Amino acid sequence: DIGVTGVQTCALPIYHRVIAVSKALRLDLFKMGLPWHKLAAVYNSCDPRFFDQPTVVRSPPQRRPFRVASIAHFRWCRDHATLIEAVGLVHAQGVNIELEVVGAGDSVLKARCAKVVADRGLQGSITFWGERMVDVDWLSSFDLFALPSLADTFGIAVLEAMACGVPVLVSEIPPFMELIQHGRAGHYYEAGNVSSCADALVALIQNDDYREDLARRGRARADDFRPAKTTKSLADVYRSLMREST
């Protein structure tokens, strides 16, 4: 699921230019049959000025849980179950960890995830918020942001967490790897692999310096997505279309 329906796919070829929000999505559209010369990649923007927070990664004392946030609507491609199961494995090792999940969506998928939580006895460690307002103060209070998607087009929630100075853990899918520069600005694990996700969580929990470094690198990476850069990229696309029409 790359966010393009069959109807849209049929309609897209009539346009002079199709703008994808990542290079990974542009490649997916090309694989779906769209001509490469009609495709352009222009990233979503994120103004770090609205997310300014001091980049401070707290070393969690034993009496305080290591807090993880995840923001994504419940859809099959978001793969909440893998993250929940991984948190369960980490919790079973005696680690004081909490996960807070924000997002509405498919009620059946959410019910299945809630059942996993109940079956693993994780009711006190995992919270489902549904739809709620997420602000900078709330997001910045977490030790880690995680997004376990099996498919995505960009990862705006990941970028916003990076802009807040929160280290990120993502699944190893092309748009996310593009966003975190293949591990330079974030940590990743094998998509859909519970053990890999759990190992990544443990590695991050145990290494305060590494998390702090990821937070700094993520914040710097967020600067690459300032609105001015997106505006310039869009203007370049429009200029190229104007040249083609003359």
Side-chain angles (χ1 to χ4, degrees), residues 68-75 77-84 99-102 144-161 167-173 175-177 179-180 187-192 197 201 204:
V68 182
S70 186
I71 304 172
H73 286 298
F74 281 85
R75 299 171 58 194
C77 60
R78 297 305 180 202
D79 195 27
H80 291 81
T82 289
L83 179 58
I84 290 168
L99 169 65
E100 298 188 29
V101 181
V102 174
L144 180 71
F145 178 86
L147 195 57
S149 298
L150 297 174
D152 212 310
T153 56
F154 178 72
I156 190 66
V158 178
L159 179 58
E160 290 176 348
V168 300
L169 170 65
V170 297
S171 49
E172 188 181 6
I173 61 174
F176 292 170
M177 299 305 291
L179 188 57
I180 68 167
H187 198 70
Y188 62 92
Y189 69 93
E190 182 183 348
C197 185
L201 285 169
L204 287 161

Side-chain angles (χ1 to χ4, degrees), residues 1 31 38 40 56-57 90 92 103 129 141 156 174 177 191 215 232 239:
D1 179 1
K31 291 177 179 179
K38 284 191 173 186
V56 176
V57 179
V90 175
W129 284 105
S141 71
I156 190 66
M177 299 305 291
K232 182 182 182 301
R239 289 191 188 99

Side-chain angles (χ1 to χ4, degrees), residues 89-106:
L89 289 181
V90 175
H91 184 269
Q93 296 177 32
V95 178
N96 191 5
I97 184 173
E98 290 183 357
L99 169 65
E100 298 188 29
V101 181
V102 174
D106 191 317

Side-chain angles (χ1 to χ4, degrees), residues 99-180:
L99 169 65
E100 298 188 29
V101 181
V102 174
D106 191 317
S107 59
V108 174
L109 286 177
K110 186 174 181 179
R112 289 178 180 174
C113 289
K115 185 177 186 303
V116 171
V117 170
D119 290 346
R120 303 294 186 274
L122 298 170
Q123 296 94 326
S125 300
I126 297 179
T127 303
F128 297 107
W129 284 105
E131 289 193 76
R132 64 157 290 168
M133 181 66 69
V134 174
D135 59 22
V136 177
D137 290 338
W138 183 84
L139 187 54
S140 299
S141 71
F142 286 87
D143 300 293
L144 180 71
F145 178 86
L147 195 57
S149 298
L150 297 174
D152 212 310
T153 56
F154 178 72
I156 190 66
V158 178
L159 179 58
E160 290 176 348
M162 292 162 64
C164 284
V166 179
V168 300
L169 170 65
V170 297
S171 49
E172 188 181 6
I173 61 174
F176 292 170
M177 299 305 291
E178 191 176 335
L179 188 57
I180 68 167

